[in-house]
Amino acid sequence: MVRQLELQTGSHIRRVSRVKISPFLILAGVLLASWADGRTAFGQASSELSRRTRPLELTGDIASHLVAGADQFLLAKLEQSRENRAKHWNRDLSSPENYSRSLEPNRKRLAHILGVRDPRVKYSSPELMATVRTPARVGGTHSYDIFSIRWPSIGQIHGEGLLLVPRQGRPSADVIAVPDADQSPEQIAGLVPGVPAASQFARRLAESGCRVVVPALISRETKKRIGRPHLTHREFIYRSAFELGRHLLGYEIQKILALVDWFVQEADGGDPRIGIAGYGEGGGLSLYAAALDTRIDAALVSGYFSDRRNIWKQPIDRNVFGLLEQFGDAELASMIAPRTLIVETARAPELELPGKGGAPARLITPPSETVRRGAERARELVAGLKPAAPIHLVSSSSQGAGSQGTGPPGSPPALVGLLRSLSDKLRLAPAGPSPRFLVDSFDPGVRMERQVGEMDRHNQWLLSESPYVRQAFMEKLDTTSLEGYRKSIQDYRRIFRDEVIGWFHDERLPPNARSRPIYDAPDWTGHEVVLDVYPDVIAYGILLLPKDLVPGERRPVVVCQHGLEGRPQETIRGDHRAYHDFTAKLAERGFITFAPQNLYIFRDRFRTLQRKANPLKKSLFSIIAAQHQQILDWLKTLPWVDPGRIGFYGLSYGGKTAMRVPALLTDYALSICSADFNEWVWKNASSRAKYSYVFHGEYEIFEFDLGSTFNYAEMAALIAPRPFMVERGHFDGVAPDEMVGYEFAKVRHLYSARLGLADRVEIEWFVGPHTINGKGTFSFLHRHLDWPEKRE
């Protein structure tokens, strides 16, 4: 083929003589001329992106690097947490009275995060538990009697357990003896086998002249819940309670404090001597209860005291949101001062929970040196208090375990220390005979089912009340004008940021953007991008640039978010059944799109990030929000991006992101929640609905106290007055239509009736499953990001 061509490069035109040239070279020349003339920015945009970023040389699975980096970041934060606690304390050591008063803000905070909020029921005395076949007196010896009792605590929740009453004289002290979760009251009272005689501390205290109550704890027995996950009783109660601002630990502490109420009432204005002694889980409850309630004169904590920075490895029912912000075990011990605390190093409960739908966990005996350092640190925190705080460390090694202090709990030195701190009259009596059990047929499982059932019903009652609690919470929102609304919503956004999601106030690193091209489609090019966020933390995603960009043009951006266990690539190519290439389809419509990699991938690897974040008063979204802020800030530096027209569109877990991240980051101009929006608190806390996360394996999903603060309607209020849309398939298994409609009706009422912004809120119902529909939502994006659906 012989042809004369003019190749235009910039303002220079070169005439090419007649030569034989192939059609491929002709095409190449046309593309080169088109690029040089600015009619397509394929080469120009790629060149500009390369100029603005360093080459991306990271190898391997970048998503794995991202999760590993977040893990290292959180482990470092856990390590630093002890040193950061001091700013939350204002101890006045000038006198015991002033010291106790100075701790009131910390006690209030501890009660809040433990869910110790509900008023306790007033009562005159515990009830004796008897039937026509079984007497209330279930056992005893010549020196004390044992009764089966129950007492009210909060709502319809009762404590149940044993009451040990000395037969001779008036008891010199009242003691609450709290077993481990896998021990029954009957075992530590010596009525049934299961606990060595040397560790039956409840009966040893009764033999020594104390009136003793032994509450039953919720056990770690594992059951398959409605054919789905294997959960311990404790995790089953924890899940709903946590979402509703309560806690299994708080419920059990309330039972303990209800006993303290009884002891004080019986003293009739006198000064009762009240002690508490606990082992394993009971040791933790004893530590918390004594830190909260100054009416407890002395506490013995055995087989529990440790460095709490590894709490994320332990059973999830020990997870307390924000615990390590102010409280480690040493800080809790300092709250007991100037009262007596005895810490016993002993062999702790040891177990491993494999998961199977519940949270995997492991309990080990704390090293005696760790316990010693913790007790010493507690003394240092109260150094200067006069008289010196009686914080005693006792080793159970004298019971035959050698020098490591890991012998059985309830050693004589520990019990002697507790008794002496309660009364000068008390002495540890010689061990007597085991009590006789008068019950022919004993099944502790029946009591356990009652106890679990009462707590579950209380959780469900709280769930039914939660809409009214949230309504009262939001009553300061000003909807009389847009100006008033924007001003008043800021306080709620701050609460959501700091008290619910958790926010790292660390200064973010320079983005140090790195990129490399990975896609070349007919209408767009794709580039992997990595940004630095915090030390060890990166943001990663794929940027799609339309090829018809022209110099000087600024376009809207849609950030397209994948769901659980997803990847950005799945939203671009392969027609994934949930995503249908929506990131690429929007780029074909002329939008710049960015598909980030979020943290929720690799199952337990990401779920343990939530476990590590929660004690710091943080969550997965504390990191995700920082990553998105870095992405937003970087996108706004690109010459093709209109910084005022960046929208968010996410599906499933990406829909969860759509409810939380734009609520926090006002740089997002709009948000679309696909395949997730529903009555979120109900979905997390209901123990009746088959849709509930209580019966699923996502043990990280529960967020503390949403029931009292932010359901999805309230999160949408944080997005308002920016445009907000829900994409809902009728056959999406996330929730039934009626729950989606119920929650969305509140959002529509806010936008349409209260703010007069009916054009900014929308829901699209379609016949389909858990998937991107890409019809009404695409039109919504075109309309509110001001980008024509059909272009010349």
Side-chain angles (χ1 to χ4, degrees):
M1 183 177 186
V2 178
R3 183 169 297 175
Q4 184 169 308
L5 298 177
E6 287 184 351
L7 298 182
Q8 180 173 314
T9 57
S11 59
H12 299 89
I13 297 177
R14 289 190 298 146
R15 186 164 301 277
V16 182
S17 60
R18 291 178 177 271
V19 293
K20 287 186 177 183
I21 188 166
S22 74
F24 298 105
L25 289 176
I26 293 173
L27 177 61
V30 171
L31 288 173
L32 177 61
S34 178
W35 166 77
D37 198 28
R39 288 190 293 270
T40 174
F42 168 52
Q44 188 178 28
S46 296
S47 176
E48 179 65 14
L49 186 66
S50 297
R51 187 183 70 80
R52 290 173 170 270
T53 62
R54 293 172 50 212
L56 176 57
E57 298 175 347
L58 188 60
T59 60
D61 187 343
I62 299 181
S64 184
H65 287 296
L66 182 142
V67 172
D71 186 68
Q72 290 302 308
F73 177 75
L74 289 171
L75 287 172
K77 289 294 184 182
L78 285 167
E79 190 65 26
Q80 298 159 13
S81 64
R82 189 173 70 181
E83 286 66 40
N84 293 336
R85 291 174 207 152
K87 63 186 177 184
H88 297 285
W89 296 79
N90 187 25
R91 295 181 178 87
D92 182 351
L93 299 170
S94 61
S95 71
E97 296 75 20
N98 289 341
Y99 177 70
S100 184
R101 279 194 293 270
S102 72
L103 299 184
E104 283 310 306
N106 305 94
R107 287 199 175 93
K108 184 177 179 180
R109 179 62 187 171
L110 181 61
H112 177 82
I113 62 179
L114 288 170
V116 181
R117 305 185 188 180
D118 303 301
R120 288 189 295 278
V121 176
K122 294 182 179 180
Y123 69 107
S124 57
S125 64
E127 305 169 10
L128 295 175
M129 297 282 285
T131 70
V132 294
R133 297 185 58 186
T134 307
R137 182 176 179 269
V138 296
T141 68
H142 67 280
S143 62
Y144 60 90
D145 291 313
I146 305 177
F147 299 91
S148 176
I149 64 169
R150 79 167 191 164
W151 61 98
S153 58
I154 58 172
Q156 299 301 310
I157 295 179
H158 295 79
E160 289 192 45
L162 299 178
L163 170 65
L164 286 69
V165 183
R167 287 189 167 189
Q168 300 296 322
R170 183 178 178 85
S172 299
D174 291 307
V175 179
I176 304 165
V178 194
D180 180 56
D182 286 336
Q183 296 174 336
S184 70
E186 290 75 16
Q187 287 175 323
I188 69 164
L191 290 172
V192 299
V195 171
S199 297
Q200 295 169 5
F201 59 95
R203 77 177 179 97
R204 295 303 311 280
L205 291 167
E207 289 169 343
S208 302
C210 297
R211 180 170 61 172
V212 180
V213 180
V214 190
L217 300 189
I218 302 301
S219 77
R220 301 188 190 97
E221 179 187 351
T222 301
K223 287 181 62 176
K224 197 171 186 179
R225 310 287 167 170
I226 65 168
R228 292 178 182 168
H230 291 77
L231 302 179
T232 66
H233 286 316
R234 297 186 70 80
E235 183 172 355
F236 173 68
I237 296 299
Y238 157 87
R239 288 185 169 197
S240 299
F242 194 79
E243 191 78 11
L244 297 164
R246 304 306 194 274
H247 206 292
L248 170 63
L249 297 176
Y251 290 158
E252 293 182 324
I253 291 167
Q254 290 277 42
K255 293 182 182 184
I256 290 168
L257 299 186
L259 290 170
V260 176
D261 295 340
W262 173 48
F263 296 151
V264 171
Q265 178 181 284
E266 276 219 330
D268 195 22
D271 181 21
R273 302 300 294 168
I274 301 172
I276 189 168
Y279 166 67
E281 210 63 49
L285 292 169
S286 299
L287 185 62
Y288 283 129
L292 286 172
D293 198 328
T294 58
R295 298 175 300 174
I296 297 173
D297 296 295
L300 165 59
V301 175
S302 178
Y304 178 84
F305 199 88
S306 188
D307 184 335
R308 210 50 55 190
R309 287 176 290 187
N310 66 353
I311 194 171
W312 62 272
K313 298 179 181 179
Q314 298 172 3
I316 198 168
D317 54 88
R318 290 187 177 186
N319 178 51
V320 178
F321 187 72
L323 178 70
L324 297 182
E325 181 189 40
Q326 294 190 24
F327 310 101
D329 284 9
E331 283 77 14
L332 294 172
S334 77
M335 295 173 72
I336 297 173
R339 296 163 291 141
T340 299
L341 171 64
I342 297 142
V343 175
E344 181 184 43
T345 58
R347 185 169 55 250
E350 298 191 344
L351 60 94
E352 189 158 347
L353 298 173
K356 296 185 179 180
R362 187 181 181 212
L363 281 180
I364 62 171
T365 298
S368 56
E369 179 59 21
T370 299
V371 181
R372 186 196 67 76
R373 287 198 302 266
E376 183 58 35
R377 184 166 171 270
R379 295 189 192 105
E380 292 171 0
L381 291 174
V382 294
L385 188 63
K386 301 296 183 183
I391 299 174
H392 306 298
L393 181 64
V394 173
S395 172
S396 67
S397 61
S398 60
Q399 299 301 292
S403 61
Q404 295 304 308
T406 55
S411 65
L415 297 179
V416 166
L418 178 66
L419 291 168
R420 287 180 177 172
S421 66
L422 291 173
S423 173
D424 292 337
K425 300 176 183 178
L426 289 171
R427 297 289 184 272
L428 183 64
S434 296
R436 180 186 173 195
F437 198 24
L438 303 177
V439 177
D440 294 331
S441 177
F442 173 65
D443 180 4
V446 175
R447 178 178 58 203
M448 187 58 57
E449 290 299 325
R450 280 198 305 268
Q451 293 281 282
V452 171
E454 285 186 352
M455 289 187 181
D456 178 39
R457 288 190 292 275
H458 186 74
N459 283 340
Q460 299 313 297
W461 176 80
L462 289 171
L463 175 59
S464 70
E465 290 291 306
S466 66
Y468 308 105
V469 176
R470 292 191 299 275
Q471 187 176 37
F473 170 69
M474 297 295 290
E475 65 183 4
K476 294 181 181 179
L477 189 60
D478 181 1
T479 58
T480 59
S481 68
L482 278 179
E483 181 182 357
Y485 186 86
R486 288 190 176 100
K487 183 177 179 181
S488 62
I489 201 66
Q490 292 303 322
D491 286 338
Y492 288 100
R493 184 172 290 113
R494 178 190 55 77
I495 293 170
F496 186 62
R497 181 193 70 189
D498 293 338
E499 303 300 324
V500 176
I501 297 297
W503 191 260
F504 287 109
H505 292 278
D506 306 49
E507 183 177 353
R508 282 178 286 117
L509 298 172
N512 184 28
R514 290 88 79 197
S515 73
R516 64 187 171 211
I518 59 166
Y519 294 119
D520 183 12
D523 297 313
W524 47 265
T525 59
H527 308 263
E528 284 188 308
V529 177
V530 170
L531 310 173
D532 292 336
V533 181
Y534 295 132
D536 295 315
V537 178
I538 59 171
Y540 161 59
I542 298 175
L543 177 69
L544 303 189
L545 296 172
K547 287 185 175 179
D548 62 350
L549 284 163
V550 297
E553 180 186 24
R554 287 187 179 269
R555 290 197 186 180
V557 180
V558 182
V559 174
C560 301
Q561 191 63 67
H562 64 78
L564 180 66
E565 298 294 336
R567 294 174 181 268
Q569 292 84 350
E570 295 170 343
T571 73
I572 297 170
R573 286 277 175 87
D575 194 25
H576 187 283
R577 67 183 183 278
Y579 306 119
H580 299 301
D581 302 344
F582 79 112
T583 301
K585 288 178 180 177
L586 286 168
E588 290 165 4
R589 287 170 171 256
F591 293 99
I592 297 171
T593 57
F594 189 88
Q597 175 70 62
N598 266 6
L599 285 170
Y600 36 78
I601 187 171
F602 305 123
R603 299 181 182 275
D604 282 340
R605 280 184 62 193
F606 91 79
R607 293 194 165 103
T608 56
L609 298 181
Q610 183 86 321
R611 294 293 316 273
K612 291 162 187 165
N614 272 188
L616 298 167
K617 199 181 172 188
K618 303 295 187 294
S619 66
L620 277 176
F621 284 101
S622 304
I623 296 178
I624 290 170
Q627 291 169 320
H628 276 259
Q629 187 64 70
Q630 194 78 321
I631 290 166
L632 284 164
D633 290 349
W634 177 74
L635 285 172
K636 288 188 289 186
T637 68
L638 300 180
W640 322 286
V641 170
D642 183 341
R645 291 189 290 164
I646 304 177
F648 188 96
Y649 187 178
L651 173 130
S652 193
Y653 226 121
K656 293 172 182 55
T657 310
M659 296 308 303
R660 290 159 180 78
V661 170
L664 292 168
L665 307 183
T666 57
D667 289 339
Y668 277 119
L670 62 77
S671 182
I672 299 174
C673 176
S674 177
D676 183 68
F677 188 92
N678 70 104
E679 214 280 32
W680 183 252
V681 173
W682 165 83
K683 182 172 175 62
N684 282 267
S686 173
S687 61
R688 177 67 180 86
K690 66 178 182 179
Y691 302 92
S692 176
Y693 275 121
V694 170
F695 304 117
H696 287 261
E698 289 91 338
Y699 58 82
E700 86 295 344
I701 206 77
F702 307 94
E703 297 161 287
F704 184 64
D705 206 17
L706 284 189
S708 304
T709 53
F710 298 93
N711 205 337
Y712 272 10
E714 289 76 26
M715 292 185 201
L718 299 176
I719 296 169
R722 292 166 289 161
F724 173 71
M725 184 175 181
V726 170
E727 185 175 47
R728 163 68 188 179
H730 287 300
F731 298 110
D732 191 334
V734 162
D737 279 353
E738 59 268 26
M739 300 308 287
V740 177
Y742 164 75
E743 193 69 10
F744 185 77
K746 293 183 278 186
V747 181
R748 186 183 291 280
H749 179 79
L750 172 66
Y751 273 82
S752 302
R754 305 290 294 278
L755 298 177
L757 300 172
D759 62 324
R760 296 191 188 182
V761 65
E762 190 173 333
I763 186 169
E764 181 186 44
W765 304 88
F766 66 94
V767 179
H770 190 75
T771 186
I772 293 285
N773 192 45
K775 294 181 175 61
T777 51
F778 283 16
S779 295
F780 189 84
L781 289 166
H782 281 286
R783 185 165 68 255
H784 290 290
L785 293 181
D786 192 22
W787 185 248
E789 289 201 51
K790 294 182 179 179
R791 293 175 290 144
E792 298 297 329

